[in-house]
Amino acid sequence: MKLLRYGPRGAEKPGLLDSEGRIRDLSGTVADIDPAVLASGLDAIRQLDPATLPLVSGDVRLAEPVGNVGKFLCIGLNYRDHAAESGMAIPTEPILFTKATSAIIGPNDEVLIPPTSRKSDWEVELGVVIGKEARYVPREKALDHVAGLCVVNDLSEREYQLERGGQWDKGKGCDTFGPFGPYLVTLDEVADINALGLWLEINGERMQTGTTADLIFDVPFLVHYVSQFMSLQPGDIISTGTPAGVGMGMKPPRFLEEGDVITLGIDGLGEQRQQVRRSVCGA
């Protein structure tokens, strides 16, 4: 299934994408695509015939596909080529940091770079959404706790992240720096989680091309690993790292500017498109 949420911010409705790429309304079956519905195993939705659901007409906003996310966790330097372009050592254990849930926006919503930002950057990543509580989970059972996958743009302000002291979080959690979606794709629709192509373009120019085959730490290991340090709850997201091609790694470095258009996607999981605008102080 490809689950989604649609509608104006604050008034989103649950939906799914049918086999013909049309949005079907799920609000008669579930109130939202949220932790409670994910924890149910999506049983009520799985029993439906999509053809019996109301079609959604018109041009609607696609929201983030999961509401009320509890934790937004990220893995750093999880592709060797990205570690190399960043001038950092290949990690011997996953580098774990958090992204503020207030950064979350829909896949095509506007990205607002902070008023003082000089080094805002892009990162296409595979996102993993937890469906069942995971605590001290063995690697071989990790995928039993995953509801599905999604596209994430782990936007990053590199000066805040690397030059302003402390942890990475302050450069990762800026408002609008966490677009995800357009869909939550259940694992039964993913042919091979270890062979998904990722790509990102700025103004139509290809910047990133990668594959999850190159992950240093794969999805089952990451779910297992993180669950040793904290419980993972339904609706939590793990963003699994980005391949090479970020602005920081270019010579000279290149960063986002007002008016830029970011497009990105992952095989079978959909695409995102964001227009970049600079925030105004006090706004």
Side-chain angles (χ1 to χ4, degrees), residues 131-167:
K132 183 172 71 172
E133 183 180 64
R135 183 183 286 113
Y136 310 120
V137 172
R139 185 187 186 283
E140 60 271 18
K141 294 186 177 180
L143 291 183
D144 295 342
H145 297 261
V146 173
L149 307 177
C150 61
V151 182
V152 173
N153 189 355
D154 176 23
L155 290 142
S156 311
E157 213 299 340
R158 302 301 188 187
E159 182 181 11
Y160 299 176
Q161 176 190 358
L162 301 171
E163 302 172 33
R164 298 288 296 272
Q167 303 298 314

PDB file of all heavy atoms in Angstrom, residues 131-167:
ATOM      1  N   GLY A 131       6.351   0.731  12.939  1.00  0.00           N
ATOM      2  CA  GLY A 131       4.946   0.373  13.064  1.00  0.00           C
ATOM      3  C   GLY A 131       4.611  -0.338  14.358  1.00  0.00           C
ATOM      4  O   GLY A 131       3.467  -0.328  14.808  1.00  0.00           O
ATOM      5  N   LYS A 132       5.610  -0.973  14.965  1.00  0.00           N
ATOM      6  CA  LYS A 132       5.399  -1.711  16.212  1.00  0.00           C
ATOM      7  C   LYS A 132       6.543  -1.399  17.153  1.00  0.00           C
ATOM      8  O   LYS A 132       7.704  -1.336  16.736  1.00  0.00           O
ATOM      9  CB  LYS A 132       5.340  -3.221  15.920  1.00  0.00           C
ATOM     10  CG  LYS A 132       5.059  -4.083  17.130  1.00  0.00           C
ATOM     11  CD  LYS A 132       4.816  -5.553  16.731  1.00  0.00           C
ATOM     12  CE  LYS A 132       6.080  -6.230  16.280  1.00  0.00           C
ATOM     13  NZ  LYS A 132       5.887  -7.693  16.066  1.00  0.00           N
ATOM     14  N   GLU A 133       6.231  -1.209  18.426  1.00  0.00           N
ATOM     15  CA  GLU A 133       7.256  -0.845  19.396  1.00  0.00           C
ATOM     16  C   GLU A 133       8.464  -1.771  19.290  1.00  0.00           C
ATOM     17  O   GLU A 133       8.324  -2.993  19.199  1.00  0.00           O
ATOM     18  CB  GLU A 133       6.693  -0.902  20.810  1.00  0.00           C
ATOM     19  CG  GLU A 133       7.702  -0.448  21.865  1.00  0.00           C
ATOM     20  CD  GLU A 133       7.146  -0.496  23.274  1.00  0.00           C
ATOM     21  OE1 GLU A 133       6.835  -1.618  23.747  1.00  0.00           O
ATOM     22  OE2 GLU A 133       7.004   0.569  23.899  1.00  0.00           O
ATOM     23  N   ALA A 134       9.641  -1.163  19.290  1.00  0.00           N
ATOM     24  CA  ALA A 134      10.892  -1.913  19.178  1.00  0.00           C
ATOM     25  C   ALA A 134      11.783  -1.565  20.366  1.00  0.00           C
ATOM     26  O   ALA A 134      12.155  -0.406  20.545  1.00  0.00           O
ATOM     27  CB  ALA A 134      11.603  -1.581  17.866  1.00  0.00           C
ATOM     28  N   ARG A 135      12.117  -2.580  21.140  1.00  0.00           N
ATOM     29  CA  ARG A 135      12.987  -2.390  22.302  1.00  0.00           C
ATOM     30  C   ARG A 135      13.936  -3.568  22.372  1.00  0.00           C
ATOM     31  O   ARG A 135      13.510  -4.709  22.508  1.00  0.00           O
ATOM     32  CB  ARG A 135      12.145  -2.276  23.573  1.00  0.00           C
ATOM     33  CG  ARG A 135      12.956  -1.998  24.825  1.00  0.00           C
ATOM     34  CD  ARG A 135      12.093  -1.967  26.091  1.00  0.00           C
ATOM     35  NE  ARG A 135      11.291  -0.753  26.173  1.00  0.00           N
ATOM     36  CZ  ARG A 135       9.965  -0.736  26.080  1.00  0.00           C
ATOM     37  NH1 ARG A 135       9.297  -1.869  25.904  1.00  0.00           N
ATOM     38  NH2 ARG A 135       9.307   0.398  26.174  1.00  0.00           N
ATOM     39  N   TYR A 136      15.236  -3.311  22.232  1.00  0.00           N
ATOM     40  CA  TYR A 136      16.259  -4.363  22.248  1.00  0.00           C
ATOM     41  C   TYR A 136      15.938  -5.455  21.223  1.00  0.00           C
ATOM     42  O   TYR A 136      15.975  -6.651  21.514  1.00  0.00           O
ATOM     43  CB  TYR A 136      16.404  -4.965  23.649  1.00  0.00           C
ATOM     44  CG  TYR A 136      16.577  -3.926  24.730  1.00  0.00           C
ATOM     45  CD1 TYR A 136      15.666  -3.820  25.771  1.00  0.00           C
ATOM     46  CD2 TYR A 136      17.647  -3.026  24.696  1.00  0.00           C
ATOM     47  CE1 TYR A 136      15.806  -2.857  26.764  1.00  0.00           C
ATOM     48  CE2 TYR A 136      17.806  -2.055  25.680  1.00  0.00           C
ATOM     49  CZ  TYR A 136      16.878  -1.975  26.703  1.00  0.00           C
ATOM     50  OH  TYR A 136      17.021  -1.010  27.676  1.00  0.00           O
ATOM     51  N   VAL A 137      15.650  -5.030  20.011  1.00  0.00           N
ATOM     52  CA  VAL A 137      15.214  -5.945  18.959  1.00  0.00           C
ATOM     53  C   VAL A 137      16.429  -6.603  18.298  1.00  0.00           C
ATOM     54  O   VAL A 137      17.387  -5.917  17.937  1.00  0.00           O
ATOM     55  CB  VAL A 137      14.398  -5.173  17.895  1.00  0.00           C
ATOM     56  CG1 VAL A 137      14.087  -6.050  16.700  1.00  0.00           C
ATOM     57  CG2 VAL A 137      13.120  -4.640  18.500  1.00  0.00           C
ATOM     58  N   PRO A 138      16.417  -7.921  18.099  1.00  0.00           N
ATOM     59  CA  PRO A 138      17.500  -8.548  17.334  1.00  0.00           C
ATOM     60  C   PRO A 138      17.406  -8.187  15.862  1.00  0.00           C
ATOM     61  O   PRO A 138      16.316  -7.928  15.340  1.00  0.00           O
ATOM     62  CB  PRO A 138      17.265 -10.050  17.541  1.00  0.00           C
ATOM     63  CG  PRO A 138      15.840 -10.187  17.928  1.00  0.00           C
ATOM     64  CD  PRO A 138      15.454  -8.911  18.626  1.00  0.00           C
ATOM     65  N   ARG A 139      18.542  -8.175  15.208  1.00  0.00           N
ATOM     66  CA  ARG A 139      18.578  -7.755  13.806  1.00  0.00           C
ATOM     67  C   ARG A 139      17.635  -8.575  12.939  1.00  0.00           C
ATOM     68  O   ARG A 139      16.954  -8.034  12.065  1.00  0.00           O
ATOM     69  CB  ARG A 139      20.014  -7.864  13.277  1.00  0.00           C
ATOM     70  CG  ARG A 139      20.196  -7.335  11.863  1.00  0.00           C
ATOM     71  CD  ARG A 139      21.597  -7.624  11.342  1.00  0.00           C
ATOM     72  NE  ARG A 139      21.813  -7.005  10.053  1.00  0.00           N
ATOM     73  CZ  ARG A 139      21.332  -7.474   8.898  1.00  0.00           C
ATOM     74  NH1 ARG A 139      20.610  -8.574   8.891  1.00  0.00           N
ATOM     75  NH2 ARG A 139      21.589  -6.835   7.762  1.00  0.00           N
ATOM     76  N   GLU A 140      17.559  -9.869  13.175  1.00  0.00           N
ATOM     77  CA  GLU A 140      16.773 -10.735  12.305  1.00  0.00           C
ATOM     78  C   GLU A 140      15.267 -10.501  12.438  1.00  0.00           C
ATOM     79  O   GLU A 140      14.483 -10.949  11.599  1.00  0.00           O
ATOM     80  CB  GLU A 140      17.105 -12.201  12.559  1.00  0.00           C
ATOM     81  CG  GLU A 140      16.834 -12.685  13.964  1.00  0.00           C
ATOM     82  CD  GLU A 140      18.018 -12.506  14.906  1.00  0.00           C
ATOM     83  OE1 GLU A 140      18.925 -11.706  14.572  1.00  0.00           O
ATOM     84  OE2 GLU A 140      18.020 -13.168  15.956  1.00  0.00           O
ATOM     85  N   LYS A 141      14.838  -9.784  13.478  1.00  0.00           N
ATOM     86  CA  LYS A 141      13.416  -9.495  13.651  1.00  0.00           C
ATOM     87  C   LYS A 141      13.091  -8.015  13.456  1.00  0.00           C
ATOM     88  O   LYS A 141      11.961  -7.593  13.652  1.00  0.00           O
ATOM     89  CB  LYS A 141      12.950  -9.942  15.038  1.00  0.00           C
ATOM     90  CG  LYS A 141      12.999 -11.444  15.234  1.00  0.00           C
ATOM     91  CD  LYS A 141      12.400 -11.867  16.568  1.00  0.00           C
ATOM     92  CE  LYS A 141      12.393 -13.371  16.721  1.00  0.00           C
ATOM     93  NZ  LYS A 141      11.816 -13.800  18.025  1.00  0.00           N
ATOM     94  N   ALA A 142      14.088  -7.248  13.035  1.00  0.00           N
ATOM     95  CA  ALA A 142      13.926  -5.795  12.977  1.00  0.00           C
ATOM     96  C   ALA A 142      12.824  -5.359  12.021  1.00  0.00           C
ATOM     97  O   ALA A 142      12.026  -4.466  12.329  1.00  0.00           O
ATOM     98  CB  ALA A 142      15.248  -5.141  12.595  1.00  0.00           C
ATOM     99  N   LEU A 143      12.745  -5.975  10.842  1.00  0.00           N
ATOM    100  CA  LEU A 143      11.761  -5.532   9.856  1.00  0.00           C
ATOM    101  C   LEU A 143      10.330  -5.822  10.292  1.00  0.00           C
ATOM    102  O   LEU A 143       9.388  -5.224   9.757  1.00  0.00           O
ATOM    103  CB  LEU A 143      12.042  -6.171   8.500  1.00  0.00           C
ATOM    104  CG  LEU A 143      13.322  -5.698   7.793  1.00  0.00           C
ATOM    105  CD1 LEU A 143      13.441  -6.360   6.421  1.00  0.00           C
ATOM    106  CD2 LEU A 143      13.372  -4.182   7.659  1.00  0.00           C
ATOM    107  N   ASP A 144      10.149  -6.700  11.271  1.00  0.00           N
ATOM    108  CA  ASP A 144       8.808  -6.944  11.807  1.00  0.00           C
ATOM    109  C   ASP A 144       8.252  -5.702  12.492  1.00  0.00           C
ATOM    110  O   ASP A 144       7.039  -5.610  12.720  1.00  0.00           O
ATOM    111  CB  ASP A 144       8.830  -8.094  12.824  1.00  0.00           C
ATOM    112  CG  ASP A 144       9.189  -9.433  12.204  1.00  0.00           C
ATOM    113  OD1 ASP A 144       9.093  -9.551  10.962  1.00  0.00           O
ATOM    114  OD2 ASP A 144       9.569 -10.347  12.955  1.00  0.00           O
ATOM    115  N   HIS A 145       9.119  -4.764  12.815  1.00  0.00           N
ATOM    116  CA  HIS A 145       8.721  -3.555  13.534  1.00  0.00           C
ATOM    117  C   HIS A 145       8.588  -2.340  12.612  1.00  0.00           C
ATOM    118  O   HIS A 145       8.348  -1.233  13.086  1.00  0.00           O
ATOM    119  CB  HIS A 145       9.736  -3.269  14.645  1.00  0.00           C
ATOM    120  CG  HIS A 145       9.797  -4.349  15.680  1.00  0.00           C
ATOM    121  ND1 HIS A 145       9.134  -4.265  16.887  1.00  0.00           N
ATOM    122  CD2 HIS A 145      10.421  -5.562  15.671  1.00  0.00           C
ATOM    123  CE1 HIS A 145       9.350  -5.371  17.581  1.00  0.00           C
ATOM    124  NE2 HIS A 145      10.131  -6.169  16.863  1.00  0.00           N
ATOM    125  N   VAL A 146       8.740  -2.562  11.320  1.00  0.00           N
ATOM    126  CA  VAL A 146       8.711  -1.456  10.350  1.00  0.00           C
ATOM    127  C   VAL A 146       7.364  -1.418   9.644  1.00  0.00           C
ATOM    128  O   VAL A 146       6.911  -2.432   9.081  1.00  0.00           O
ATOM    129  CB  VAL A 146       9.851  -1.622   9.316  1.00  0.00           C
ATOM    130  CG1 VAL A 146       9.725  -0.584   8.203  1.00  0.00           C
ATOM    131  CG2 VAL A 146      11.207  -1.491  10.012  1.00  0.00           C
ATOM    132  N   ALA A 147       6.714  -0.248   9.665  1.00  0.00           N
ATOM    133  CA  ALA A 147       5.436  -0.077   8.959  1.00  0.00           C
ATOM    134  C   ALA A 147       5.651   0.157   7.480  1.00  0.00           C
ATOM    135  O   ALA A 147       4.836  -0.267   6.653  1.00  0.00           O
ATOM    136  CB  ALA A 147       4.661   1.093   9.560  1.00  0.00           C
ATOM    137  N   GLY A 148       6.718   0.868   7.128  1.00  0.00           N
ATOM    138  CA  GLY A 148       6.957   1.165   5.726  1.00  0.00           C
ATOM    139  C   GLY A 148       8.118   2.120   5.546  1.00  0.00           C
ATOM    140  O   GLY A 148       8.810   2.492   6.501  1.00  0.00           O
ATOM    141  N   LEU A 149       8.305   2.535   4.290  1.00  0.00           N
ATOM    142  CA  LEU A 149       9.420   3.386   3.894  1.00  0.00           C
ATOM    143  C   LEU A 149       8.911   4.665   3.261  1.00  0.00           C
ATOM    144  O   LEU A 149       7.769   4.737   2.790  1.00  0.00           O
ATOM    145  CB  LEU A 149      10.301   2.638   2.891  1.00  0.00           C
ATOM    146  CG  LEU A 149      10.799   1.248   3.286  1.00  0.00           C
ATOM    147  CD1 LEU A 149      11.588   0.637   2.136  1.00  0.00           C
ATOM    148  CD2 LEU A 149      11.638   1.301   4.555  1.00  0.00           C
ATOM    149  N   CYS A 150       9.772   5.676   3.224  1.00  0.00           N
ATOM    150  CA  CYS A 150       9.389   6.949   2.621  1.00  0.00           C
ATOM    151  C   CYS A 150      10.637   7.691   2.160  1.00  0.00           C
ATOM    152  O   CYS A 150      11.761   7.310   2.481  1.00  0.00           O
ATOM    153  CB  CYS A 150       8.598   7.809   3.616  1.00  0.00           C
ATOM    154  SG  CYS A 150       9.514   8.228   5.108  1.00  0.00           S
ATOM    155  N   VAL A 151      10.414   8.762   1.415  1.00  0.00           N
ATOM    156  CA  VAL A 151      11.488   9.668   0.991  1.00  0.00           C
ATOM    157  C   VAL A 151      11.633  10.765   2.037  1.00  0.00           C
ATOM    158  O   VAL A 151      10.636  11.318   2.519  1.00  0.00           O
ATOM    159  CB  VAL A 151      11.168  10.303  -0.377  1.00  0.00           C
ATOM    160  CG1 VAL A 151      12.320  11.198  -0.825  1.00  0.00           C
ATOM    161  CG2 VAL A 151      10.871   9.235  -1.419  1.00  0.00           C
ATOM    162  N   VAL A 152      12.879  11.083   2.390  1.00  0.00           N
ATOM    163  CA  VAL A 152      13.172  12.180   3.319  1.00  0.00           C
ATOM    164  C   VAL A 152      14.201  13.106   2.670  1.00  0.00           C
ATOM    165  O   VAL A 152      15.152  12.643   2.042  1.00  0.00           O
ATOM    166  CB  VAL A 152      13.732  11.660   4.657  1.00  0.00           C
ATOM    167  CG1 VAL A 152      14.203  12.810   5.547  1.00  0.00           C
ATOM    168  CG2 VAL A 152      12.686  10.827   5.394  1.00  0.00           C
ATOM    169  N   ASN A 153      14.009  14.408   2.831  1.00  0.00           N
ATOM    170  CA  ASN A 153      15.048  15.382   2.500  1.00  0.00           C
ATOM    171  C   ASN A 153      15.593  15.909   3.823  1.00  0.00           C
ATOM    172  O   ASN A 153      14.939  16.693   4.504  1.00  0.00           O
ATOM    173  CB  ASN A 153      14.487  16.527   1.654  1.00  0.00           C
ATOM    174  CG  ASN A 153      15.581  17.447   1.108  1.00  0.00           C
ATOM    175  OD1 ASN A 153      16.753  17.285   1.425  1.00  0.00           O
ATOM    176  ND2 ASN A 153      15.185  18.421   0.297  1.00  0.00           N
ATOM    177  N   ASP A 154      16.778  15.429   4.206  1.00  0.00           N
ATOM    178  CA  ASP A 154      17.400  15.838   5.473  1.00  0.00           C
ATOM    179  C   ASP A 154      18.160  17.138   5.249  1.00  0.00           C
ATOM    180  O   ASP A 154      19.394  17.156   5.193  1.00  0.00           O
ATOM    181  CB  ASP A 154      18.316  14.726   5.989  1.00  0.00           C
ATOM    182  CG  ASP A 154      19.076  15.131   7.245  1.00  0.00           C
ATOM    183  OD1 ASP A 154      18.616  16.047   7.955  1.00  0.00           O
ATOM    184  OD2 ASP A 154      20.143  14.531   7.512  1.00  0.00           O
ATOM    185  N   LEU A 155      17.412  18.222   5.108  1.00  0.00           N
ATOM    186  CA  LEU A 155      18.051  19.525   4.914  1.00  0.00           C
ATOM    187  C   LEU A 155      18.916  19.872   6.127  1.00  0.00           C
ATOM    188  O   LEU A 155      18.586  19.523   7.264  1.00  0.00           O
ATOM    189  CB  LEU A 155      16.988  20.593   4.683  1.00  0.00           C
ATOM    190  CG  LEU A 155      16.260  20.465   3.333  1.00  0.00           C
ATOM    191  CD1 LEU A 155      14.792  20.799   3.463  1.00  0.00           C
ATOM    192  CD2 LEU A 155      16.934  21.331   2.295  1.00  0.00           C
ATOM    193  N   SER A 156      20.032  20.559   5.859  1.00  0.00           N
ATOM    194  CA  SER A 156      21.035  20.785   6.891  1.00  0.00           C
ATOM    195  C   SER A 156      21.661  22.164   6.712  1.00  0.00           C
ATOM    196  O   SER A 156      22.041  22.524   5.592  1.00  0.00           O
ATOM    197  CB  SER A 156      22.146  19.728   6.794  1.00  0.00           C
ATOM    198  OG  SER A 156      21.613  18.424   6.719  1.00  0.00           O
ATOM    199  N   GLU A 157      21.791  22.900   7.804  1.00  0.00           N
ATOM    200  CA  GLU A 157      22.534  24.161   7.761  1.00  0.00           C
ATOM    201  C   GLU A 157      23.938  23.853   8.270  1.00  0.00           C
ATOM    202  O   GLU A 157      24.133  23.599   9.463  1.00  0.00           O
ATOM    203  CB  GLU A 157      21.856  25.231   8.613  1.00  0.00           C
ATOM    204  CG  GLU A 157      22.003  26.652   8.093  1.00  0.00           C
ATOM    205  CD  GLU A 157      23.431  27.189   7.981  1.00  0.00           C
ATOM    206  OE1 GLU A 157      24.348  26.653   8.627  1.00  0.00           O
ATOM    207  OE2 GLU A 157      23.624  28.168   7.226  1.00  0.00           O
ATOM    208  N   ARG A 158      24.924  23.823   7.368  1.00  0.00           N
ATOM    209  CA  ARG A 158      26.246  23.301   7.702  1.00  0.00           C
ATOM    210  C   ARG A 158      27.008  24.192   8.689  1.00  0.00           C
ATOM    211  O   ARG A 158      27.776  23.677   9.514  1.00  0.00           O
ATOM    212  CB  ARG A 158      27.069  23.119   6.427  1.00  0.00           C
ATOM    213  CG  ARG A 158      26.447  22.191   5.401  1.00  0.00           C
ATOM    214  CD  ARG A 158      26.202  20.810   5.939  1.00  0.00           C
ATOM    215  NE  ARG A 158      25.786  19.899   4.863  1.00  0.00           N
ATOM    216  CZ  ARG A 158      25.385  18.655   5.067  1.00  0.00           C
ATOM    217  NH1 ARG A 158      25.320  18.152   6.285  1.00  0.00           N
ATOM    218  NH2 ARG A 158      25.017  17.901   4.042  1.00  0.00           N
ATOM    219  N   GLU A 159      26.836  25.496   8.616  1.00  0.00           N
ATOM    220  CA  GLU A 159      27.517  26.356   9.586  1.00  0.00           C
ATOM    221  C   GLU A 159      26.973  26.080  10.985  1.00  0.00           C
ATOM    222  O   GLU A 159      27.733  25.920  11.943  1.00  0.00           O
ATOM    223  CB  GLU A 159      27.334  27.828   9.228  1.00  0.00           C
ATOM    224  CG  GLU A 159      28.061  28.762  10.191  1.00  0.00           C
ATOM    225  CD  GLU A 159      27.865  30.224   9.847  1.00  0.00           C
ATOM    226  OE1 GLU A 159      27.014  30.532   8.999  1.00  0.00           O
ATOM    227  OE2 GLU A 159      28.558  31.067  10.442  1.00  0.00           O
ATOM    228  N   TYR A 160      25.654  26.027  11.116  1.00  0.00           N
ATOM    229  CA  TYR A 160      25.046  25.728  12.413  1.00  0.00           C
ATOM    230  C   TYR A 160      25.473  24.345  12.897  1.00  0.00           C
ATOM    231  O   TYR A 160      25.706  24.123  14.087  1.00  0.00           O
ATOM    232  CB  TYR A 160      23.524  25.751  12.321  1.00  0.00           C
ATOM    233  CG  TYR A 160      22.870  27.047  11.910  1.00  0.00           C
ATOM    234  CD1 TYR A 160      21.492  27.098  11.741  1.00  0.00           C
ATOM    235  CD2 TYR A 160      23.597  28.211  11.674  1.00  0.00           C
ATOM    236  CE1 TYR A 160      20.848  28.264  11.359  1.00  0.00           C
ATOM    237  CE2 TYR A 160      22.971  29.380  11.279  1.00  0.00           C
ATOM    238  CZ  TYR A 160      21.591  29.409  11.120  1.00  0.00           C
ATOM    239  OH  TYR A 160      20.960  30.560  10.737  1.00  0.00           O
ATOM    240  N   GLN A 161      25.542  23.397  11.982  1.00  0.00           N
ATOM    241  CA  GLN A 161      25.826  22.004  12.326  1.00  0.00           C
ATOM    242  C   GLN A 161      27.268  21.801  12.780  1.00  0.00           C
ATOM    243  O   GLN A 161      27.519  21.079  13.761  1.00  0.00           O
ATOM    244  CB  GLN A 161      25.553  21.114  11.115  1.00  0.00           C
ATOM    245  CG  GLN A 161      25.914  19.638  11.318  1.00  0.00           C
ATOM    246  CD  GLN A 161      25.861  18.838  10.018  1.00  0.00           C
ATOM    247  OE1 GLN A 161      25.513  19.365   8.969  1.00  0.00           O
ATOM    248  NE2 GLN A 161      26.226  17.575  10.098  1.00  0.00           N
ATOM    249  N   LEU A 162      28.223  22.421  12.064  1.00  0.00           N
ATOM    250  CA  LEU A 162      29.629  22.074  12.231  1.00  0.00           C
ATOM    251  C   LEU A 162      30.502  23.187  12.801  1.00  0.00           C
ATOM    252  O   LEU A 162      31.619  22.905  13.261  1.00  0.00           O
ATOM    253  CB  LEU A 162      30.205  21.640  10.871  1.00  0.00           C
ATOM    254  CG  LEU A 162      29.513  20.432  10.217  1.00  0.00           C
ATOM    255  CD1 LEU A 162      30.028  20.238   8.796  1.00  0.00           C
ATOM    256  CD2 LEU A 162      29.703  19.177  11.044  1.00  0.00           C
ATOM    257  N   GLU A 163      30.031  24.424  12.765  1.00  0.00           N
ATOM    258  CA  GLU A 163      30.893  25.536  13.145  1.00  0.00           C
ATOM    259  C   GLU A 163      30.393  26.322  14.350  1.00  0.00           C
ATOM    260  O   GLU A 163      31.049  27.268  14.770  1.00  0.00           O
ATOM    261  CB  GLU A 163      31.041  26.494  11.957  1.00  0.00           C
ATOM    262  CG  GLU A 163      31.603  25.840  10.709  1.00  0.00           C
ATOM    263  CD  GLU A 163      31.551  26.766   9.495  1.00  0.00           C
ATOM    264  OE1 GLU A 163      31.695  27.994   9.676  1.00  0.00           O
ATOM    265  OE2 GLU A 163      31.346  26.261   8.371  1.00  0.00           O
ATOM    266  N   ARG A 164      29.259  25.931  14.902  1.00  0.00           N
ATOM    267  CA  ARG A 164      28.663  26.717  15.982  1.00  0.00           C
ATOM    268  C   ARG A 164      28.720  26.011  17.338  1.00  0.00           C
ATOM    269  O   ARG A 164      28.063  26.411  18.286  1.00  0.00           O
ATOM    270  CB  ARG A 164      27.207  27.047  15.629  1.00  0.00           C
ATOM    271  CG  ARG A 164      27.034  27.903  14.371  1.00  0.00           C
ATOM    272  CD  ARG A 164      27.479  29.338  14.599  1.00  0.00           C
ATOM    273  NE  ARG A 164      26.653  29.997  15.588  1.00  0.00           N
ATOM    274  CZ  ARG A 164      25.517  30.650  15.304  1.00  0.00           C
ATOM    275  NH1 ARG A 164      25.067  30.695  14.056  1.00  0.00           N
ATOM    276  NH2 ARG A 164      24.831  31.234  16.249  1.00  0.00           N
ATOM    277  N   GLY A 165      29.521  24.947  17.441  1.00  0.00           N
ATOM    278  CA  GLY A 165      29.716  24.265  18.711  1.00  0.00           C
ATOM    279  C   GLY A 165      28.595  23.297  19.042  1.00  0.00           C
ATOM    280  O   GLY A 165      27.490  23.384  18.519  1.00  0.00           O
ATOM    281  N   GLY A 166      28.912  22.318  19.915  1.00  0.00           N
ATOM    282  CA  GLY A 166      27.884  21.390  20.368  1.00  0.00           C
ATOM    283  C   GLY A 166      27.598  20.291  19.364  1.00  0.00           C
ATOM    284  O   GLY A 166      28.449  19.907  18.569  1.00  0.00           O
ATOM    285  N   GLN A 167      26.366  19.800  19.403  1.00  0.00           N
ATOM    286  CA  GLN A 167      25.954  18.665  18.578  1.00  0.00           C
ATOM    287  C   GLN A 167      25.477  19.133  17.199  1.00  0.00           C
ATOM    288  O   GLN A 167      25.326  20.317  16.943  1.00  0.00           O
ATOM    289  CB  GLN A 167      24.843  17.902  19.289  1.00  0.00           C
ATOM    290  CG  GLN A 167      25.213  17.411  20.678  1.00  0.00           C
ATOM    291  CD  GLN A 167      26.361  16.423  20.658  1.00  0.00           C
ATOM    292  OE1 GLN A 167      26.371  15.510  19.842  1.00  0.00           O
ATOM    293  NE2 GLN A 167      27.331  16.593  21.540  1.00  0.00           N
TER     294      GLN A 167
END
